[in-house]
Amino acid sequence: MISFATIWNNLMLRERRIAQLEQELNESRAHEKALGDLLEKKLNEVYIHYHISRTIGSLLDLREMLKQVFDIIQKSLPFDRISVYLLDEKQENLDLVFYNGLDVNGNISLPIGEGTPGRIVENGEHLHIHDLTVFYETFNDFVHIPGEKKLNGSYIGIALKAHNSIIGIIGLDSSAKYGLSVDDMDFMAILSYQLAAGIEKSRLFEK
């Protein structure tokens, strides 16, 4: 005759085994979802690379090319405002050549080293700011244009390089704190080589 203690122990063993199997199943589902999300992200990146290449190859007008390129990028990257500065022919100042979501009056030109765009070009390094509130409190500076309204959110600044030389900077910001991540910065850094090549082509055509 099987004792009550034996039956109880067997039940406890089965419950622990069931709990273990449920945990393994949940971990497997989480792993499967992570792989699915990664695959979707990579496919999306391939899509963006392809359409940006087509856009750069089919357009010669600089501003129209940039507009269409960033329309493509915005479908994947949650930015709200953007500015693109390029070095002038003398390599002394940065000219604002494209923007969206900014209140701009007239032409804007910055000396190298001024503001966040100027410092990025001066240092040649990309920049990620996860909380613009802290940035403004610390530096009391601008990320897009002088005198801009200081908003909450996050920011990415990408140094544009062609032939190992800095030619300008792309600045993106999101109204959400942590809205733009380091991964987003890395993705934009990869795209920046395509953009720099397209920009150089358009500027040569304009000349």
Side-chain angles (χ1 to χ4, degrees):
M1 183 176 178
I2 302 175
S3 67
F4 176 79
T6 302
I7 295 173
W8 178 260
N9 287 335
N10 288 338
L11 287 174
M12 291 298 99
L13 287 172
R14 288 180 182 177
E15 285 189 5
R16 284 196 290 269
R17 180 55 180 162
I18 290 171
Q20 181 183 359
L21 289 172
E22 287 179 345
Q23 181 180 354
E24 291 175 358
L25 179 60
N26 290 334
E27 290 175 353
S28 176
R29 286 172 176 169
H31 182 62
E32 182 181 350
K33 183 181 184 302
L35 288 176
D37 291 344
L38 180 61
L39 177 60
E40 183 179 355
K41 179 181 178 183
K42 293 302 179 184
L43 287 173
N44 189 49
E45 289 177 359
V46 170
Y47 167 88
I48 291 175
H49 278 290
Y50 170 72
H51 283 277
I52 286 178
S53 295
R54 288 192 60 185
T55 301
I56 289 174
S58 62
L59 295 174
L60 291 173
D61 180 76
L62 177 61
R63 286 157 187 81
E64 182 60 26
M65 184 267 289
L66 290 174
K67 177 184 181 303
Q68 292 196 25
V69 162
F70 288 113
D71 283 345
I72 294 169
I73 294 174
Q74 197 168 30
K75 294 175 182 177
S76 176
L77 207 63
F79 68 85
D80 296 307
R81 302 186 298 174
I82 182 169
S83 59
V84 179
Y85 286 89
L86 296 178
L87 279 169
D88 61 15
E89 291 187 2
K90 295 181 179 180
Q91 305 287 296
E92 294 176 351
N93 294 298
L94 288 165
D95 297 328
L96 182 65
V97 299
F98 179 81
Y99 62 90
N100 192 24
L102 301 171
D103 186 14
V104 176
N105 295 316
N107 297 326
I108 295 180
S109 184
L110 305 174
I112 295 175
E114 182 176 327
T116 302
R119 286 197 302 275
I120 290 174
V121 169
E122 185 176 48
N123 299 327
E125 300 291 337
H126 307 315
L127 175 66
H128 172 247
I129 302 170
H130 68 265
D131 186 354
L132 281 170
T133 303
V134 176
F135 169 81
Y136 287 132
E137 289 176 353
T138 305
F139 293 96
N140 191 31
D141 206 346
F142 62 89
V143 294
H144 289 295
I145 59 175
E148 69 189 6
K149 184 178 180 181
K150 297 178 179 179
L151 302 175
N152 298 331
S154 49
Y155 171 86
I156 289 173
I158 303 295
L160 282 169
K161 299 179 182 179
H163 311 297
N164 296 321
S165 298
I166 302 291
I167 65 168
I169 177 248
I170 300 171
L172 307 168
D173 81 82
S174 166
S175 58
K177 186 165 64 172
Y178 299 102
L180 295 173
S181 66
V182 174
D183 285 343
D184 295 329
M185 180 182 72
D186 292 340
F187 178 54
M188 281 301 303
I190 294 171
L191 289 180
S192 68
Y193 292 99
Q194 280 182 291
L195 291 172
I199 288 168
E200 289 287 270
K201 184 192 73 170
S202 296
R203 297 178 91 181
L204 286 172
F205 176 76
E206 288 180 354
K207 289 180 181 180

